[in-house]
Amino acid sequence: MALDKEYFDYPHRSHGMDHDRYDWQLLAEQKPVSWPNNKKVALWVNVPLQFFPLDQKGVPFKVPGGMTMPYPDLRHYSLRDYGNRVGIYRFLKAFDKYGIKPTFAINTELAKRTPYLLDTIKERGDEIMCHGLHMDALHYGGQDIVEESNLVKSSIEQLRILTDQDIKGWISPARNESENTPELLAQNGIEYFCDWVNDDMPYQFKTQKGNLWAMPLSNELEDKFVLMNNLHSEDSYVEQIKDACDFLIKEAKGLQNNRGKGGRILALNIHPWMLGQPHRIAKLEQILEYVMSQNVWTASASDILSSFKAQQ
Amino acid sequence: MKSDPGFYDYWPYQNRPKIRWPEGKKMAFWVAPNIEFYELNPPTNPHRAAWPQPYPATPGYSIRDYGNRVGHIRQMELLEKYGIRGSISLSTALCDHHPEIIEMCKERDWEFFSHGIYNTRYTYGMSEQQERDMIKDSMESIYKHTGQKCAGYLAPALSHSEQTLDLFAEVGTELFGNEGGIYTCDLFHDDQPTPIHTRSGKKFVSIPYSLEMNDTIAFVVNKVEPRRYGQMLKDNFDRLYQEADESGTIMCIPTHNYQVSCPHRMKAYEEALEYITSHDDIWITTGREIANHFIDNHYDDALADIKSKGGK
């Protein structure tokens, strides 16, 4: 018994990362940034608006949150649809009550299917980013590049037409990528994407078609992750967001030795089909009330990135 | 395959010879931050896949990178605040990739022990010579970059062979005489140090490294809420502290910077550390110091007691 000799080759064992996508750096050693009005934390409320097709193909995997039962899985189809019919309008009320400036990440297919919802968001003037075509149109390692190229291009181009917005942001469905996704995004005029969760602040991500910005949209603090994956209680979810907010404000003021000082980002990725339920919406309101009473700046993803970039 | 690994004999947790730690302290407390490097595109091991998705596995890779970019300094400063020197379970390739982290730990007189070269290179399927070479490489890396003679081992990703402990003990002696390769964190059978049978017959001990208190086991496997994790740490401490009146106990908190250092988990962790370190009679120490003290003062008594109770 033995493994192939190649198993003991370490071709990337040298300073920095084991790939050339971004530079190695420590967040605590980065230049401190300040947010407008000297706020310590930028609050980025990100709302995915998703379409989960009933005839899910599941290539190369079943998207988390998608269909799990034999066709027709009406329970999951309709429960996800609930978010776009009911939950989102509870969200909008809550955002307005607490003065939140949200960002919406929409599946292009949903934008086509629900013009009323799209018009509502357009009229509000909030930022819209592209969340791929739909939740069963995954980007994945080994995917045919022509197929993916068409998928990226049509998702973004159609969304630009539907929204009259110059779509700059991207989240892949399931936050999964192929080895080519970053290049394809850069080629199609995307400026920032939110799939990589390795930082709490933006950083430059290299592609052969020009750099992207990686925006730090925490997965660990996402409603779906905490409530559906971890099965934590709603009250614990509220507590976790409050603890995170308190910690980030403290860190923004500087760790010991004054290291790590500088504005931070509290990124809340929240799904209308999850937090928009009647028994959960009050929990979102509690969070927004608490966070907005702290030293925070509520802003869109693009506004946060612009402010960050201007200080580099 | 064996039905029993044969590392230790049955040794009941009552009427054991009394352990006392240096300066008459009754309880030893150590924190073991795992500082790991996961590869984005490791070679394939026929027995275990490194990632659930085909390359690039963005979700799993990027959160682990978060631990090094963002989390490490957070936890390091927290441990420093409470007078705790970390005992690092180290993916030793990190000495090459991120020497900045190694330097910060050296400055603080932290201990480094081997956790293999990469946490994406599993022991499964290795020949004895291949595993010996991998272990030797990891121990030599620690010596080369830190000047420390590696005393402890936690197999990479807890992937073992039947010979893992024998090989680690032997390579330790080969490189560093009695100072190298003296303890393992791979076994979870006891709350006190245990003499371990190895082929070479050297004095070699298992040091309690609690899987139950391990943040990744708590948060990822058992999906524990952050505040509850803090309470579990306090409860674990309380009972071990109480039992230490009879004979010295050990509490270990194994951590990962991509788990416990997330903003929503720091508060509960800090409260637990504050609580634990506020007690008298505890020896805040490292894995190596516990192993040395036990081997020098209690090892022979332990062996005699095990024998008197039916062990070999």
Side-chain angles (χ1 to χ4, degrees):
Chain A
M1 183 181 72
L3 297 177
D4 293 344
K5 265 173 56 188
E6 293 70 44
Y7 201 73
F8 302 91
D9 291 341
Y10 306 107
H12 303 292
R13 193 176 176 179
S14 56
H15 189 258
M17 303 310 299
D18 59 328
H19 54 76
D20 54 11
R21 284 304 195 180
Y22 51 80
D23 293 331
W24 154 240
Q25 61 180 38
L26 288 157
L27 171 60
E29 316 248 300
Q30 299 313 299
K31 186 181 166 197
V33 298
S34 333
W35 302 127
N37 300 317
N38 204 26
K39 298 291 188 187
K40 295 297 173 203
V41 164
L43 173 66
W44 169 19
V45 173
N46 198 71
V47 183
L49 295 171
Q50 304 174 321
F51 176 65
F52 291 85
L54 183 64
D55 59 342
Q56 176 179 284
K57 307 289 186 292
V59 178
F61 57 84
K62 289 181 179 178
V63 64
M67 308 301 113
T68 63
M69 307 301 288
Y71 180 86
D73 183 353
L74 294 183
R75 75 171 82 167
H76 287 109
Y77 179 84
S78 56
L79 187 55
R80 300 298 169 253
D81 206 22
Y82 176 96
N84 302 324
R85 296 167 66 91
V86 181
I88 183 61
Y89 297 99
R90 292 201 177 108
F91 271 25
L92 297 179
K93 259 191 195 168
F95 295 157
D96 292 342
K97 182 171 177 191
Y98 296 103
I100 303 296
K101 193 169 180 195
T103 305
F104 296 92
I106 193 165
N107 291 149
T108 299
E109 180 65 20
L110 186 75
K112 273 193 270 183
R113 295 169 57 92
T114 54
Y116 182 95
L117 175 58
L118 189 65
D119 286 344
T120 303
I121 291 167
K122 280 163 67 178
E123 278 164 28
R124 294 172 54 89
D126 292 321
E127 181 184 356
I128 296 172
M129 67 171 100
C130 187
H131 190 15
L133 184 61
H134 56 69
M135 297 310 288
D136 191 35
L138 298 174
H139 302 253
Y140 56 93
Q143 187 171 23
D144 177 69
I145 190 168
V146 176
E147 175 191 307
E148 191 188 8
S149 178
N150 290 336
L151 186 60
V152 170
K153 190 168 193 271
S154 67
S155 304
I156 295 169
E157 279 183 358
Q158 288 182 73
L159 194 61
R160 285 193 176 123
I161 295 165
L162 290 163
T163 60
D164 306 316
Q165 282 194 21
D166 185 18
I167 304 292
K168 288 287 181 195
W170 171 275
I171 306 178
S172 301
R175 306 178 82 171
N176 207 71
E177 294 182 359
S178 81
E179 56 274 50
N180 302 309
T181 310
E183 271 73 21
L184 295 172
L185 297 178
Q187 245 175 336
N188 283 280
I190 291 294
E191 182 189 11
Y192 71 91
F193 70 145
C194 317
D195 294 336
W196 290 64
V197 288
N198 55 329
D199 214 317
D200 274 346
M201 294 295 280
Y203 68 88
Q204 294 224 42
F205 193 99
K206 297 174 202 167
T207 94
Q208 290 165 29
K209 307 290 177 186
N211 285 0
L212 295 169
W213 286 92
M215 281 292 280
L217 184 63
S218 170
N219 182 58
E220 299 284 322
L221 275 181
E222 181 181 292
D223 60 345
K224 180 163 68 79
F225 183 74
V226 173
L227 296 168
M228 194 169 87
N229 183 75
N230 292 342
L231 300 175
H232 294 174
S233 71
E234 283 77 8
D235 287 333
S236 173
Y237 172 67
V238 173
E239 198 171 65
Q240 290 177 49
I241 305 293
K242 287 181 178 177
D243 285 355
C245 180
D246 292 348
F247 178 81
L248 290 168
I249 288 173
K250 196 170 87 176
E251 183 168 275
K253 292 174 181 166
L255 293 167
Q256 293 165 47
N257 312 324
N258 223 17
R259 183 154 45 193
K261 202 172 174 175
R264 289 286 179 266
I265 297 171
L266 176 64
L268 302 181
N269 201 34
I270 52 174
H271 298 74
W273 51 262
M274 172 61 70
L275 279 191
Q277 289 283 342
H279 57 296
R280 295 201 183 102
I281 189 67
K283 306 300 173 181
L284 174 63
E285 290 164 357
Q286 277 176 34
I287 286 170
L288 298 179
E289 182 171 10
Y290 180 81
V291 173
M292 289 304 287
S293 72
Q294 308 299 306
N295 199 353
V296 305
W297 169 48
T298 171
S300 69
S302 277
D303 287 347
I304 294 170
L305 180 58
S306 297
S307 174
F308 179 88
K309 276 165 54 186
Q311 299 175 61
Q312 298 307 300
Chain B
M1 289 195 281
K2 306 172 182 175
S3 66
D4 172 340
F7 294 133
Y8 50 81
D9 302 300
Y10 184 74
W11 191 27
Y13 188 55
Q14 59 180 13
N15 304 317
R16 290 180 179 178
K18 184 167 181 164
I19 293 173
R20 272 298 169 254
W21 303 117
E23 297 167 28
K25 299 279 168 74
K26 66 179 190 178
M27 181 173 175
F29 174 64
W30 66 303
V31 176
N34 285 267
I35 304 187
E36 298 171 328
F37 201 101
Y38 286 77
E39 298 160 283
L40 185 57
N41 198 13
T44 305
N45 182 297
H47 304 276
R48 179 171 167 182
W51 301 114
Q53 304 96 344
Y55 167 82
T58 306
Y61 177 88
S62 62
I63 186 64
R64 283 162 182 80
D65 183 34
Y66 179 94
N68 294 327
R69 287 170 78 90
V70 179
H72 169 71
I73 288 181
R74 278 185 189 153
Q75 184 178 198
M76 186 182 73
E77 301 227 334
L78 190 63
L79 295 185
E80 197 166 33
K81 181 173 172 187
Y82 293 100
I84 301 162
R85 286 154 55 221
S87 305
I88 299 166
S89 165
L90 182 68
S91 294
T92 62
L94 197 125
C95 297
D96 302 299
H97 289 286
H98 303 332
E100 300 84 356
I101 288 179
I102 303 297
E103 280 308 311
M104 286 187 271
C105 299
K106 272 168 68 180
E107 282 167 20
R108 286 160 179 78
D109 193 25
W110 285 18
E111 179 189 337
F112 300 88
F113 66 87
S114 171
H115 191 24
I117 297 174
Y118 285 106
N119 222 33
T120 35
R121 306 269 180 145
Y122 308 118
T123 308
Y124 309 123
M126 288 186 189
S127 69
E128 186 168 325
Q129 188 61 46
Q130 287 175 330
E131 186 179 8
R132 176 187 290 273
D133 291 345
M134 180 275 286
I135 290 172
K136 191 172 177 185
D137 181 328
S138 75
M139 296 174 89
E140 285 175 331
S141 293
I142 289 176
Y143 186 72
K144 181 178 149 199
H145 289 92
T146 72
Q148 289 190 21
K149 297 171 180 172
C150 172
Y153 195 59
L154 179 69
L158 274 70
S159 64
H160 303 101
S161 73
E162 288 179 352
Q163 290 79 36
T164 298
L165 302 187
D166 292 324
L167 294 172
F168 176 66
E170 289 164 18
V171 175
T173 305
E174 179 194 329
L175 292 176
F176 308 121
N178 286 338
E179 292 176 69
I182 60 168
Y183 77 94
T184 175
C185 300
D186 291 287
L187 305 172
F188 307 99
H189 60 291
D190 215 294
D191 280 336
Q192 290 183 313
T194 318
I196 295 296
H197 305 303
T198 60
R199 290 191 304 213
S200 62
K202 74 188 280 190
K203 286 187 175 179
F204 187 85
V205 290
S206 167
I207 299 296
Y209 166 95
S210 173
L211 206 59
E212 294 276 333
M213 295 298 105
N214 186 311
D215 62 344
T216 300
I217 301 299
F219 292 130
V220 180
V221 179
N222 296 334
K223 305 189 185 308
V224 167
E225 296 168 355
R227 296 277 190 104
R228 185 171 156 227
Y229 177 64
Q231 189 59 47
M232 284 164 56
L233 293 176
K234 292 180 192 172
D235 292 346
N236 187 274
F237 172 82
D238 281 344
R239 181 50 59 107
L240 290 166
Y241 188 69
Q242 184 191 332
E243 291 178 354
D245 286 336
E246 284 179 43
S247 175
T249 50
I250 299 172
M251 179 179 179
C252 178
I253 309 180
T255 62
H256 298 73
N257 289 311
Y258 70 94
Q259 288 295 327
V260 82
S261 298
C262 287
H264 57 305
R265 301 196 179 111
M266 287 289 280
K267 178 175 178 168
Y269 182 47
E270 171 158 13
E271 282 178 1
L273 292 181
E274 185 168 15
Y275 175 76
I276 291 165
T277 56
S278 71
H279 288 73
D280 294 330
D281 289 343
I282 66 165
W283 179 36
I284 301 176
T285 186
T286 68
R288 180 209 312 274
E289 288 172 2
I290 295 170
N292 277 334
H293 181 85
F294 184 82
I295 287 173
D296 291 347
N297 298 280
H298 299 291
Y299 190 94
D300 295 337
D301 288 349
L303 273 190
D305 190 56
I306 293 167
K307 202 171 177 188
S308 78
K309 288 167 178 162
K312 290 188 281 286

